[in-house]
Amino acid sequence: MFYDYADSGSWTESTYQANESDFQKIKFRQRVARNIADRSIKSTMAGVPVNMPVAIAPTGLAGMQHADGEIHAARACEKFGIPYTLSTMSIASIEDIAAHTKAPFWFQLYVMKDREFIGRLIDRAKAAHCGALVVTLDLQVIGQRHKDLRNGLTAPPRITLGNMLNFATKPTWCLNMLRTHRREFGNVIGHVSGVDDMGSLLSWTAQQFDPTLNWSDIAWIKKRWGGKLVLKGVLDVEDARLAAACGVDALVVSNHGGRQLDGALSSIAVLPAIADAVGNQVELWLDSGIRSGQDVLKAIALGARGTMIGRPHLYGLGAFGEAGVTRCLEILAKELDTTMAFCGHTDIRAVGRDVLHPDSIPN
């Protein structure tokens, strides 16, 4: 069920699939006889130096892909020199990550009806010295994710015959999960009045995502937080203009990995228009669909300053923990550097649309 959670989208999964296939339609211009000896893929994201323009996107339940998964991933990011973003719906808590890392990580916030809880979450992120707050805008209601519904997804999993048979085929996962005490949503359990077990959490969560979320709430969050603020989930030019007017540090062009509105456009398809509309007002990042270093280069060429990856790091995490996340990042960096070289560029910060074949650039 946790693999299906990562490897799926909503409804027919058309947007989930388009996130990848639309990247594949974009083609590079190969350049030759250019001095490409001294190359750098280092950049900045929201003023933070990064060894490549990639950050780990917030992904719920990472601690179910691998025991203490968020801690493993955060450590890998710290050593590699890129930002890690912890989800509100993580298994490890804000305090867990702060206790096991030194580099400031980022915290992602879901806006819920219980504003007192949200205020406390923001305060906890401040106390943990998080470097940025990433507010997700596209989960006011939850998309219909058929695989999760079929599997009866919960954390920890329910003890059923089907689950027990499945566990029997994954002894290493089971052994690691038995060794850790982190098996529930660490940012929520014990931090909300009346929510102290899975039963009460499920009931509370079902009622908490706030359909009234609007731009005035962003002003309240910005004031309460007081630090770098990123808005994630923008997929429309008009919304991008409204978001940029909020005075935030970055916008993330994202469709939630195809897990919300099935039938929406892919992130890479809408990036050029959003970049043309607000790219000189606010820093843009792209999330959803990146599976390689080549995809990172395409996003940068079309106007993104940085990118965020979710599924690629989850696959590495599920396979080998911290070492798997590190290997994922190494692969992305190698692909990014090599492709940039073939395109005749030496500095990722100077890459523009000239690295792409003009006939393949999304309108």
Side-chain angles (χ1 to χ4, degrees):
M1 70 172 64
F2 298 117
Y3 179 82
D4 278 353
Y5 173 77
D7 191 49
S8 64
S10 63
W11 275 282
T12 67
E13 300 190 340
S14 66
T15 297
Y16 170 46
Q17 295 163 11
N19 280 340
E20 295 185 48
S21 62
D22 285 354
F23 264 110
Q24 295 166 8
K25 297 172 185 175
I26 302 169
K27 306 302 179 183
F28 294 108
R29 293 176 62 206
Q30 179 175 308
R31 305 299 303 277
V32 297
R34 296 165 71 96
N35 184 349
I36 54 171
D38 297 315
R39 299 188 303 279
S40 173
I41 59 172
K42 293 183 178 181
S43 187
T44 61
M45 294 178 66
V48 177
V50 292
N51 282 335
M52 65 175 171
V54 174
I56 297 296
T59 53
L61 297 174
M64 286 289 150
Q65 304 294 349
H66 190 287
D68 300 330
E70 292 92 359
I71 296 172
H72 283 260
R75 283 175 168 170
C77 289
E78 181 175 29
K79 293 173 183 176
F80 201 87
I82 68 166
Y84 176 75
T85 313
L86 182 71
S87 170
T88 291
M89 304 309 291
S90 59
I91 302 301
S93 68
I94 296 171
E95 293 77 14
D96 286 329
I97 304 302
H100 289 85
T101 59
K102 295 180 180 178
F105 61 98
W106 298 343
F107 180 68
Q108 175 267 338
L109 183 72
Y110 283 128
V111 182
M112 300 180 178
K113 294 177 183 177
D114 188 341
R115 291 296 198 266
E116 289 187 10
F117 169 65
I118 295 304
R120 291 195 300 273
L121 264 182
I122 294 172
D123 293 344
R124 288 167 61 195
K126 290 169 67 173
H129 304 293
C130 290
L133 189 69
V134 180
V135 179
T136 295
L137 300 176
D138 59 355
L139 201 90
Q140 291 174 268
V141 295
I142 300 176
Q144 188 168 309
R145 304 163 187 176
H146 292 171
K147 290 182 181 178
D148 292 348
L149 293 170
R150 183 187 66 209
N151 291 330
L153 179 73
T154 62
R158 294 188 180 96
I159 303 302
T160 65
L161 177 60
N163 284 342
M164 293 301 291
L165 292 173
N166 188 243
F167 295 161
T169 67
K170 299 169 177 62
T172 302
W173 182 89
C174 291
L175 182 61
N176 287 334
M177 292 305 299
L178 287 172
R179 288 172 175 168
T180 182
H181 65 276
R182 300 180 182 92
R183 305 187 197 99
E184 299 177 324
F185 293 101
N187 291 321
V188 180
I189 296 289
H191 296 280
V192 178
S193 177
V195 177
D196 50 18
D197 57 34
M198 276 307 300
S200 54
L201 174 65
L202 291 173
S203 176
W204 179 83
T205 302
Q207 304 172 21
Q208 277 298 313
F209 289 105
D210 191 352
T212 70
L213 174 66
N214 58 76
W215 299 112
S216 65
D217 294 313
I218 304 304
W220 173 78
I221 292 169
K222 182 179 179 181
K223 183 177 180 181
R224 179 78 177 238
W225 169 242
K228 292 180 181 178
L229 186 63
V230 178
L231 300 183
K232 180 177 179 287
V234 176
L235 207 63
D236 181 89
V237 168
E238 184 176 350
D239 287 340
R241 290 193 178 105
L242 292 169
C246 292
V248 297
D249 294 274
L251 302 183
V252 187
V253 178
S254 169
N255 57 35
H256 216 100
R259 292 173 59 77
Q260 285 295 94
L261 176 60
D262 190 40
L265 290 172
S266 69
S267 295
I268 195 64
V270 301
L271 175 63
I274 291 177
D276 289 342
V278 302
N280 61 344
Q281 302 172 43
V282 65
E283 189 169 311
L284 292 178
W285 305 342
L286 182 129
D287 166 83
S288 303
I290 290 176
R291 301 292 183 267
S292 69
Q294 290 200 333
D295 293 340
V296 173
L297 187 63
K298 291 173 182 178
I300 299 300
L302 290 175
R305 169 70 69 83
T307 61
M308 302 188 89
I309 59 167
R311 290 181 175 93
H313 100 277
L314 289 180
Y315 299 141
L317 178 67
F320 297 113
E322 181 181 333
V325 177
T326 298
R327 184 64 183 133
C328 167
L329 299 178
E330 290 172 344
I331 291 170
L332 288 173
K334 177 64 175 177
E335 292 171 343
L336 174 58
D337 174 71
T338 302
T339 306
M340 186 175 71
F342 277 125
C343 292
H345 277 263
T346 58
D347 188 346
I348 192 67
R349 296 169 298 178
V351 166
R353 296 186 186 184
D354 61 305
V355 306
L356 304 177
H357 193 285
D359 292 342
S360 69
I361 295 175
N363 294 324

